[in-house]
Amino acid sequence: MLREKLVEGFRNGVVVPQGLIAHGRGEMFDYLLGERTTKESRIASRAAAAVLLRAKRPVISVNGNVAALCPREIVRLAEVAHARIEVGLFHRTDERVSKIQNVLVEHGAKDVLGFLPDAKIPGLEHMRGLCSKDGIYSADVVLIPLEDGDRAEALAKMGKKTVAIDLNPMSRTSRASTVVIVDEVTRAFPELIRSVEDLQEDAKAIGEAIKKYDRDTNLKLVAKMMSKNLSDFLDR
Ligand code: ATP
Ligand code: MG
């Protein structure tokens, strides 16, 4: 079903061919993970929710793959976390930004940034660094599902907190982000929405969720799990 959604997104001009390749890479890690949400991913999800709830100006960065896979959940998360939505593309064209914007509006988004970028993320090549002053540029926390490593590193260098969703625990995105949820994006979004709803207006629980999470330990545990699944197979 996910592949069909991406192929449809590709046909509609929402997803680029590079996005299909990136999804295949993600599927491989998901296979090693057992295609399920792990305990580590739940811990990361709660920390991610806590960071979003503490944010003054949270922004959800949306690319073609994420818009094709879970548009409704993006809109719902923006509502519960009081976050703005910005289309942020690695392979940017006005046409594609506008198509993605339309997909989100069709699923209930009221205000989507990204069509008229008026700022730049320092350190990135011109088209890749374009963003909105009112959105990603001035955000204190940016949610970056399926982000490229260069952009994730550049956002971190700007002093922003980033929350990544990425199935590859070894990617530069995973290692550059404040919190990273290693899970498939269509499982990670509903879990993150639940975490935000659960922690909302509970300062103590928010603090505990952050305390309980250590990125590097979490990434190592996930990588170990993948490696164990592979070695269990060898020992069969
Ligand atoms: P990096 O640039 O961070 O070092 P990369 O070049 O391998 O890593 P990109 O193609 O830039 O990665 O970004 C896509 C990332 O998203 C990949 O790490 C891939 O594993 C992950 N990914 C792809 N599809 C999904 C999905 N459906 N859910 C979660 N993660 C995904
Ligand atoms: Mg990359």
Side-chain angles (χ1 to χ4, degrees), residues 22-224:
H23 184 76
R25 164 125 66 183
E27 279 186 343
M28 188 277 291
F29 284 102
D30 203 19
Y31 206 103
L32 289 177
L33 196 63
E35 296 178 308
R36 69 200 163 83
T37 296
T38 62
K39 180 176 148 241
E40 279 64 41
S41 157
R42 287 205 178 86
I43 291 171
S45 177
R46 285 181 72 82
V51 169
L52 284 168
L53 286 168
R54 274 191 180 175
K56 289 201 173 66
R57 299 177 67 91
V59 173
I60 305 174
S61 174
V62 176
N63 62 28
N65 281 37
V66 184
L69 290 172
C70 43
R72 204 172 300 281
E73 289 78 8
I74 295 165
V75 176
R76 180 72 192 138
L77 181 65
E79 280 167 9
V80 295
H82 305 291
R84 297 195 80 175
I85 300 174
E86 176 164 340
V87 180
L89 302 182
F90 195 75
H91 304 278
R92 188 196 152 88
T93 62
D94 282 349
E95 196 189 353
R96 204 156 72 88
V97 174
S98 140
K99 282 185 173 163
I100 294 173
Q101 199 171 15
N102 288 344
V103 169
L104 295 168
V105 169
E106 275 163 24
H107 287 84
K110 285 183 193 75
D111 135 70
V112 182
L113 296 161
F115 188 69
L116 291 172
D118 51 2
K120 248 204 90 210
I121 302 168
L124 294 178
E125 184 244 312
H126 181 69
M127 289 299 273
R128 295 186 169 167
L130 291 176
C131 66
S132 299
K133 212 177 260 168
D134 282 345
I136 289 175
Y137 191 80
S138 57
D140 54 349
V141 175
V142 189
L143 175 69
I144 45 171
L146 283 53
E147 186 58 277
D148 165 70
D150 283 339
R151 274 173 58 112
E153 285 175 354
L155 289 171
K157 260 197 204 128
M158 285 176 87
K160 299 184 189 306
K161 289 190 172 152
T162 52
V163 175
I165 300 173
D166 191 327
L167 275 161
N168 180 359
M170 291 175 280
S171 72
R172 282 180 305 143
T173 299
S174 289
R175 285 180 288 155
S177 300
T178 314
V179 176
V180 47
I181 302 170
V182 182
D183 204 357
E184 209 286 318
V185 74
T186 63
R187 295 194 303 267
F189 259 93
E191 181 69 30
L192 186 52
I193 292 166
R194 274 194 292 278
S195 303
V196 168
E197 285 171 339
D198 191 46
L199 294 180
Q200 209 129 43
E201 284 160 38
D202 189 343
K204 189 161 163 263
I206 288 174
E208 278 162 9
I210 288 176
K211 232 200 236 152
K212 206 172 166 192
Y213 176 75
D214 179 78
R215 183 195 61 200
D216 292 344
T217 308
N218 192 283
L219 285 175
K220 270 186 200 158
L221 286 170
V222 176
K224 262 191 193 152

